[in-house]
Short mmCIF file of all heavy atoms in Angstrom, two decimals:
data_model
loop_
_atom_site.label_atom_id
_atom_site.label_comp_id
_atom_site.label_asym_id
_atom_site.label_seq_id
_atom_site.Cartn_x
_atom_site.Cartn_y
_atom_site.Cartn_z
N HIS E 1482 93.32 91.83 114.69
CA HIS E 1482 91.90 91.67 115.19
C HIS E 1482 90.90 92.38 114.33
O HIS E 1482 89.78 91.86 114.23
CB HIS E 1482 91.83 92.26 116.67
CG HIS E 1482 92.95 91.80 117.48
ND1 HIS E 1482 93.09 90.54 117.97
CD2 HIS E 1482 94.09 92.45 117.89
CE1 HIS E 1482 94.17 90.40 118.72
NE2 HIS E 1482 94.82 91.58 118.69
N SER E 1483 91.22 93.52 113.71
CA SER E 1483 90.22 94.23 112.90
C SER E 1483 90.61 94.08 111.46
O SER E 1483 91.75 94.44 111.01
CB SER E 1483 90.24 95.67 113.24
OG SER E 1483 89.47 96.45 112.30
N ASN E 1484 89.70 93.63 110.60
CA ASN E 1484 89.90 93.45 109.21
C ASN E 1484 89.33 94.56 108.40
O ASN E 1484 89.25 94.55 107.17
CB ASN E 1484 89.34 92.10 108.72
CG ASN E 1484 90.11 90.91 109.24
OD1 ASN E 1484 91.34 91.03 109.46
ND2 ASN E 1484 89.45 89.79 109.55
N ASP E 1485 88.83 95.62 109.08
CA ASP E 1485 88.12 96.77 108.45
C ASP E 1485 89.17 97.79 108.10
O ASP E 1485 89.55 98.63 108.94
CB ASP E 1485 87.03 97.22 109.32
CG ASP E 1485 86.17 98.33 108.72
OD1 ASP E 1485 86.69 99.03 107.78
OD2 ASP E 1485 85.04 98.49 109.18
N TYR E 1486 89.60 97.80 106.86
CA TYR E 1486 90.74 98.78 106.49
C TYR E 1486 90.23 100.25 106.62
O TYR E 1486 90.96 101.05 107.06
CB TYR E 1486 91.27 98.44 105.11
CG TYR E 1486 92.63 99.08 104.86
CD1 TYR E 1486 93.73 98.31 104.82
CD2 TYR E 1486 92.81 100.49 104.68
CE1 TYR E 1486 94.98 98.86 104.64
CE2 TYR E 1486 93.98 101.05 104.50
CZ TYR E 1486 95.16 100.25 104.47
OH TYR E 1486 96.36 100.80 104.31
N VAL E 1487 89.02 100.49 106.20
CA VAL E 1487 88.52 101.90 106.24
C VAL E 1487 88.49 102.37 107.72
O VAL E 1487 88.85 103.53 108.02
CB VAL E 1487 87.15 101.99 105.59
CG1 VAL E 1487 86.64 103.42 105.66
CG2 VAL E 1487 87.19 101.58 104.10
N GLU E 1488 88.08 101.50 108.64
CA GLU E 1488 88.11 101.87 110.01
C GLU E 1488 89.51 102.14 110.52
O GLU E 1488 89.77 103.15 111.22
CB GLU E 1488 87.48 100.74 110.88
CG GLU E 1488 87.36 101.05 112.30
CD GLU E 1488 86.28 102.02 112.62
OE1 GLU E 1488 85.38 102.32 111.72
OE2 GLU E 1488 86.27 102.55 113.83
N ASN E 1489 90.46 101.30 110.14
CA ASN E 1489 91.81 101.56 110.55
C ASN E 1489 92.42 102.76 109.88
O ASN E 1489 93.19 103.45 110.58
CB ASN E 1489 92.69 100.28 110.19
CG ASN E 1489 92.58 99.20 111.22
OD1 ASN E 1489 93.20 99.16 112.22
ND2 ASN E 1489 91.64 98.24 110.97
N LEU E 1490 92.07 103.13 108.71
CA LEU E 1490 92.53 104.37 108.04
C LEU E 1490 91.99 105.56 108.89
O LEU E 1490 92.80 106.51 109.16
CB LEU E 1490 91.96 104.43 106.68
CG LEU E 1490 92.46 105.59 105.77
CD1 LEU E 1490 92.56 105.11 104.27
CD2 LEU E 1490 91.51 106.74 105.83
N LYS E 1491 90.77 105.43 109.28
CA LYS E 1491 90.19 106.56 110.10
C LYS E 1491 90.86 106.63 111.46
O LYS E 1491 91.22 107.69 111.93
CB LYS E 1491 88.66 106.23 110.19
CG LYS E 1491 87.89 107.21 111.02
CD LYS E 1491 86.44 106.98 110.86
CE LYS E 1491 85.98 105.57 111.18
NZ LYS E 1491 84.52 105.41 111.08
N LEU E 1492 91.14 105.47 112.13
CA LEU E 1492 91.76 105.44 113.40
C LEU E 1492 93.14 105.98 113.34
O LEU E 1492 93.68 106.61 114.22
CB LEU E 1492 91.76 104.06 114.01
CG LEU E 1492 90.36 103.55 114.48
CD1 LEU E 1492 90.54 102.07 114.95
CD2 LEU E 1492 89.91 104.38 115.70
N ALA E 1493 93.86 105.76 112.17
CA ALA E 1493 95.20 106.22 112.04
C ALA E 1493 95.24 107.81 112.13
O ALA E 1493 96.06 108.39 112.76
CB ALA E 1493 95.83 105.80 110.65
N VAL E 1494 94.16 108.40 111.52
CA VAL E 1494 94.12 109.85 111.57
C VAL E 1494 93.70 110.31 113.02
O VAL E 1494 94.44 111.25 113.54
CB VAL E 1494 93.05 110.36 110.59
CG1 VAL E 1494 92.87 111.90 110.72
CG2 VAL E 1494 93.39 110.04 109.19
N ILE E 1495 92.75 109.74 113.61
CA ILE E 1495 92.28 110.15 114.89
C ILE E 1495 93.40 109.94 115.94
O ILE E 1495 93.73 110.83 116.74
CB ILE E 1495 91.00 109.39 115.29
CG1 ILE E 1495 89.87 109.80 114.36
CG2 ILE E 1495 90.66 109.62 116.75
CD1 ILE E 1495 88.59 108.92 114.47
N TYR E 1496 93.98 108.71 115.99
CA TYR E 1496 94.96 108.46 117.02
C TYR E 1496 96.26 109.31 116.73
O TYR E 1496 96.88 109.80 117.66
CB TYR E 1496 95.44 106.99 117.01
CG TYR E 1496 94.41 106.05 117.60
CD1 TYR E 1496 94.52 104.70 117.40
CD2 TYR E 1496 93.29 106.50 118.29
CE1 TYR E 1496 93.66 103.76 118.00
CE2 TYR E 1496 92.42 105.64 118.88
CZ TYR E 1496 92.60 104.26 118.75
OH TYR E 1496 91.75 103.40 119.30
N GLY E 1497 96.58 109.53 115.45
CA GLY E 1497 97.70 110.37 115.13
C GLY E 1497 97.58 111.83 115.59
O GLY E 1497 98.42 112.43 116.12
N ARG E 1498 96.37 112.32 115.45
CA ARG E 1498 96.09 113.70 115.88
C ARG E 1498 96.12 113.73 117.39
O ARG E 1498 96.58 114.75 117.99
CB ARG E 1498 94.77 114.11 115.34
CG ARG E 1498 94.86 114.40 113.79
CD ARG E 1498 93.47 114.84 113.29
NE ARG E 1498 93.62 115.39 111.86
CZ ARG E 1498 92.58 115.85 111.19
NH1 ARG E 1498 91.38 115.85 111.64
NH2 ARG E 1498 92.76 116.35 109.96
N ILE E 1499 95.51 112.73 118.08
CA ILE E 1499 95.51 112.81 119.56
C ILE E 1499 97.01 112.83 120.01
O ILE E 1499 97.41 113.63 120.89
CB ILE E 1499 94.87 111.52 120.09
CG1 ILE E 1499 93.31 111.60 119.86
CG2 ILE E 1499 95.14 111.37 121.62
CD1 ILE E 1499 92.59 110.37 120.19
N ARG E 1500 97.81 112.01 119.44
CA ARG E 1500 99.26 111.93 119.85
C ARG E 1500 99.94 113.27 119.57
O ARG E 1500 100.65 113.81 120.43
CB ARG E 1500 99.91 110.81 119.14
CG ARG E 1500 101.32 110.50 119.57
CD ARG E 1500 101.92 109.25 118.98
NE ARG E 1500 103.26 109.05 119.48
CZ ARG E 1500 103.54 108.31 120.57
NH1 ARG E 1500 102.60 107.71 121.23
NH2 ARG E 1500 104.82 108.23 120.93
N ALA E 1501 99.75 113.85 118.37
CA ALA E 1501 100.35 115.04 118.02
C ALA E 1501 99.92 116.24 118.93
O ALA E 1501 100.71 117.07 119.43
CB ALA E 1501 100.13 115.40 116.55
N ASP E 1502 98.56 116.29 119.21
CA ASP E 1502 98.01 117.35 119.96
C ASP E 1502 98.48 117.25 121.42
O ASP E 1502 98.77 118.32 122.08
CB ASP E 1502 96.48 117.31 119.91
CG ASP E 1502 95.97 117.74 118.57
OD1 ASP E 1502 96.75 118.18 117.80
OD2 ASP E 1502 94.71 117.61 118.37
N PHE E 1503 98.58 116.04 122.03
CA PHE E 1503 98.88 115.92 123.45
C PHE E 1503 100.42 116.00 123.67
O PHE E 1503 100.86 116.29 124.84
CB PHE E 1503 98.26 114.71 123.99
CG PHE E 1503 96.90 114.85 124.42
CD1 PHE E 1503 95.84 114.75 123.43
CD2 PHE E 1503 96.46 115.23 125.63
CE1 PHE E 1503 94.54 114.90 123.78
CE2 PHE E 1503 95.11 115.38 126.01
CZ PHE E 1503 94.12 115.24 125.04
N LEU E 1504 101.21 115.59 122.66
CA LEU E 1504 102.65 115.52 122.93
C LEU E 1504 103.39 116.67 122.25
O LEU E 1504 104.63 116.86 122.34
CB LEU E 1504 103.26 114.25 122.30
CG LEU E 1504 102.74 112.98 122.95
CD1 LEU E 1504 103.39 111.74 122.29
CD2 LEU E 1504 102.99 112.90 124.45
N GLY E 1505 102.62 117.57 121.55
CA GLY E 1505 103.26 118.58 120.71
C GLY E 1505 104.16 119.55 121.41
O GLY E 1505 105.13 120.17 120.82
N ASP E 1506 103.86 119.88 122.73
CA ASP E 1506 104.64 120.81 123.47
C ASP E 1506 105.74 120.22 124.29
O ASP E 1506 106.54 120.85 125.00
CB ASP E 1506 103.84 121.72 124.35
CG ASP E 1506 103.00 120.93 125.40
OD1 ASP E 1506 103.06 119.71 125.29
OD2 ASP E 1506 102.31 121.56 126.21
N THR E 1507 105.92 118.80 124.14
CA THR E 1507 107.02 118.14 124.92
C THR E 1507 107.87 117.23 123.99
O THR E 1507 108.79 116.67 124.53
CB THR E 1507 106.41 117.31 126.07
OG1 THR E 1507 105.51 116.33 125.52
CG2 THR E 1507 105.62 118.16 127.07
N THR E 1508 107.53 117.15 122.76
CA THR E 1508 108.21 116.16 121.81
C THR E 1508 109.61 116.51 121.66
O THR E 1508 110.04 117.69 121.38
CB THR E 1508 107.44 116.09 120.52
OG1 THR E 1508 108.20 115.18 119.74
CG2 THR E 1508 107.31 117.45 119.83
N PRO E 1509 110.55 115.51 121.68
CA PRO E 1509 111.95 115.77 121.42
C PRO E 1509 112.30 115.76 119.89
O PRO E 1509 113.39 116.13 119.52
CB PRO E 1509 112.63 114.59 122.10
CG PRO E 1509 111.64 113.50 121.98
CD PRO E 1509 110.26 114.17 122.17
N VAL E 1510 111.26 115.39 119.11
CA VAL E 1510 111.46 115.33 117.65
C VAL E 1510 110.27 115.96 116.93
O VAL E 1510 109.21 116.05 117.56
CB VAL E 1510 111.64 113.86 117.13
CG1 VAL E 1510 112.88 113.22 117.70
CG2 VAL E 1510 110.41 113.06 117.47
N PRO E 1511 110.39 116.36 115.68
CA PRO E 1511 109.22 116.91 115.02
C PRO E 1511 108.09 115.93 114.82
O PRO E 1511 108.30 114.71 114.66
CB PRO E 1511 109.78 117.33 113.65
CG PRO E 1511 111.29 117.40 113.82
CD PRO E 1511 111.59 116.36 114.89
N LEU E 1512 106.90 116.46 114.84
CA LEU E 1512 105.69 115.64 114.66
C LEU E 1512 104.95 116.18 113.45
O LEU E 1512 104.94 117.28 113.18
CB LEU E 1512 104.72 115.68 115.86
CG LEU E 1512 105.27 115.30 117.22
CD1 LEU E 1512 104.23 115.58 118.29
CD2 LEU E 1512 105.64 113.81 117.23
N VAL E 1513 104.26 115.21 112.73
CA VAL E 1513 103.34 115.63 111.75
C VAL E 1513 101.96 115.28 112.22
O VAL E 1513 101.65 114.11 112.63
CB VAL E 1513 103.60 114.89 110.39
CG1 VAL E 1513 102.45 115.10 109.40
CG2 VAL E 1513 104.88 115.40 109.78
N ARG E 1514 101.09 116.28 112.24
CA ARG E 1514 99.69 116.04 112.62
C ARG E 1514 98.93 115.50 111.38
O ARG E 1514 98.67 116.26 110.42
CB ARG E 1514 99.00 117.31 113.16
CG ARG E 1514 97.64 117.13 113.77
CD ARG E 1514 97.12 118.44 114.34
NE ARG E 1514 95.84 118.25 115.10
CZ ARG E 1514 94.62 118.31 114.60
NH1 ARG E 1514 94.48 118.56 113.33
NH2 ARG E 1514 93.58 118.15 115.34
N PRO E 1515 98.58 114.27 111.30
CA PRO E 1515 98.04 113.66 110.02
C PRO E 1515 96.69 114.10 109.70
O PRO E 1515 95.86 114.42 110.60
CB PRO E 1515 98.18 112.18 110.25
CG PRO E 1515 97.98 112.03 111.76
CD PRO E 1515 98.68 113.23 112.38
N SER E 1516 96.38 114.14 108.41
CA SER E 1516 95.04 114.38 107.91
C SER E 1516 94.57 113.11 107.21
O SER E 1516 95.33 112.10 107.02
CB SER E 1516 94.98 115.57 106.95
OG SER E 1516 95.64 115.18 105.72
N VAL E 1517 93.36 113.11 106.63
CA VAL E 1517 92.85 111.91 105.90
C VAL E 1517 93.69 111.85 104.62
O VAL E 1517 93.85 110.70 104.11
CB VAL E 1517 91.37 112.10 105.66
CG1 VAL E 1517 91.08 113.27 104.76
CG2 VAL E 1517 90.83 110.81 105.04
#
């Protein structure tokens, strides 16, 4: 649906950090909190 690669690159960081921050104390496997 989205052809804007820069937007998707940015969302990869934002969504990845949300996931790492909210699952970090319950995750069964190691997580990497991504940066740009």
Side-chain angles (χ1 to χ4, degrees):
H1482 315 286
S1483 170
N1484 292 327
D1485 187 335
Y1486 198 106
V1487 179
E1488 183 72 16
N1489 278 277
L1490 185 149
K1491 179 168 58 177
L1492 287 174
V1494 177
I1495 294 170
Y1496 287 169
R1498 286 179 170 181
I1499 290 171
R1500 188 172 180 91
D1502 288 351
F1503 278 83
L1504 298 179
D1506 59 355
T1507 60
T1508 177
V1510 295
L1512 303 174
V1513 170
R1514 188 177 189 269
S1516 72
V1517 68

